Amino acid sequence: MKMKSLFFVLFAVFMSLPEVVEARNSDSIPARPGRGWAVGLSAGYAYNMLSMPDAYDYDRHYMAGDGFSVSVPVRYGFNDWFALSAELSAVSKNYYSYRMIPQTAYPQEWVDNYYLSVPVYARFSFGGERLRGFVNAGVYAGAWLYSHREGYSLGVADNTLYPYDEAVPFDKRRDNRFEAGLLAGAGLEYKVSRHVGVFAEARYLYGLTDMQKQYIGQIPRYNNTWIVQAGAVFLF
């Protein structure tokens, strides 16, 4: 819930920028073709769902987790409707799990996974001079940098839950730290001035790489992530 509140605060700040800047720039914005470079900064809320077959672990249930996203997008516009973009993006792809054991306490676990990735995508825009809609489609690739877990485990000899809070060491025999997938998004961008714009976007990341390497007893796990973000972009 804290991440959701942070996103709404950021969104309110970014959406208030047009009024602030326009007050200082009373001149109307001249028509400007979409050609040229743009660099920006965005932040938002990430909602990650862990996809895996239930048959491998029938008594454990996995739930989506809250996280965050921070990105530095760079794009080049070829005309007023088409551009190519790339980003340096940090995303936390978290999840929650609990184990349903009849007549016993329920062990629970919260897992935070942090990724650094580079999305590359095509951007198609439409609309007027100031307010334009856009859709994005492309791919991303990156690395799984860090993992942390906390929760409660069930004692071997009793029915007591014992807490733990720890970093998870990577095992090169098991963990696949490379991640890649597909990207799709849609949003709105508002041109505040000739060189400044603000935007909001909803984006979906569909993971194509398993978090686990191929080994005996492997349980396939894929990240599928919704991101709602807002940001500012500087046009050159």
Side-chain angles (χ1 to χ4, degrees):
M1 295 302 296
K2 292 182 179 179
M3 297 305 305
K4 292 181 181 178
S5 299
L6 175 61
F7 165 72
F8 287 119
V9 170
L10 289 170
F11 183 81
V13 172
F14 285 127
M15 291 300 100
S16 67
L17 285 176
E19 298 179 3
V20 175
V21 177
E22 281 192 298
R24 300 180 60 183
N25 298 276
S26 57
D27 296 335
S28 61
I29 299 173
R32 178 182 184 275
R35 299 181 181 88
W37 290 97
V39 179
L41 177 65
S42 65
Y45 167 72
Y47 182 78
N48 185 66
M49 298 160 286
L50 191 66
S51 176
M52 61 184 300
D54 295 333
Y56 286 94
D57 205 357
Y58 63 90
D59 65 342
R60 184 178 293 275
H61 302 269
Y62 292 86
M63 309 296 291
D66 299 324
F68 69 89
S69 171
V70 178
S71 299
V72 179
V74 178
R75 76 171 185 248
Y76 182 81
F78 293 90
N79 49 48
D80 62 349
W81 63 270
F82 177 74
L84 290 178
S85 298
E87 296 180 7
L88 182 63
S89 178
V91 183
S92 60
K93 301 183 178 182
N94 310 330
Y95 65 88
Y96 161 74
S97 70
Y98 65 93
R99 193 166 186 176
M100 186 71 71
I101 305 176
Q103 300 178 347
T104 67
Y106 298 164
Q108 306 171 65
E109 185 173 69
W110 293 265
V111 179
D112 297 335
N113 293 315
Y114 299 92
Y115 289 82
L116 185 66
S117 62
V118 178
V120 178
Y121 52 91
R123 172 189 170 104
F124 304 91
S125 63
F126 51 90
E129 292 180 5
R130 286 181 178 268
L131 182 64
R132 298 185 64 83
F134 63 85
V135 293
N136 296 327
V139 298
Y140 68 92
W144 183 10
L145 298 183
Y146 179 77
S147 183
H148 179 273
R149 65 184 178 187
E150 62 178 294
Y152 299 90
S153 61
L154 191 64
V156 177
D158 55 23
N159 194 30
T160 303
L161 289 175
Y162 296 93
Y164 58 90
D165 187 342
E166 60 189 8
V168 182
F170 289 112
D171 187 336
K172 63 181 181 180
R173 300 167 299 177
R174 177 196 64 198
D175 298 319
N176 179 19
R177 300 182 63 184
F178 171 77
E179 186 189 45
L182 304 178
L183 174 156
L188 293 172
E189 182 170 309
Y190 183 83
K191 188 182 295 182
V192 178
S193 69
R194 184 182 300 183
H195 298 292
V196 178
V198 293
F199 66 91
E201 179 190 6
R203 177 179 292 186
Y204 184 66
L205 306 178
Y206 181 77
L208 296 176
T209 52
D210 190 350
M211 296 175 67
Q212 307 295 312
K213 294 180 179 180
Q214 296 289 334
Y215 65 92
I216 298 176
Q218 171 207 14
I219 302 175
R221 299 177 181 178
Y222 299 87
N223 286 309
N224 297 315
T225 312
W226 279 102
I227 295 175
V228 181
Q229 61 184 352
V233 63
F234 302 93
L235 311 168
F236 299 96

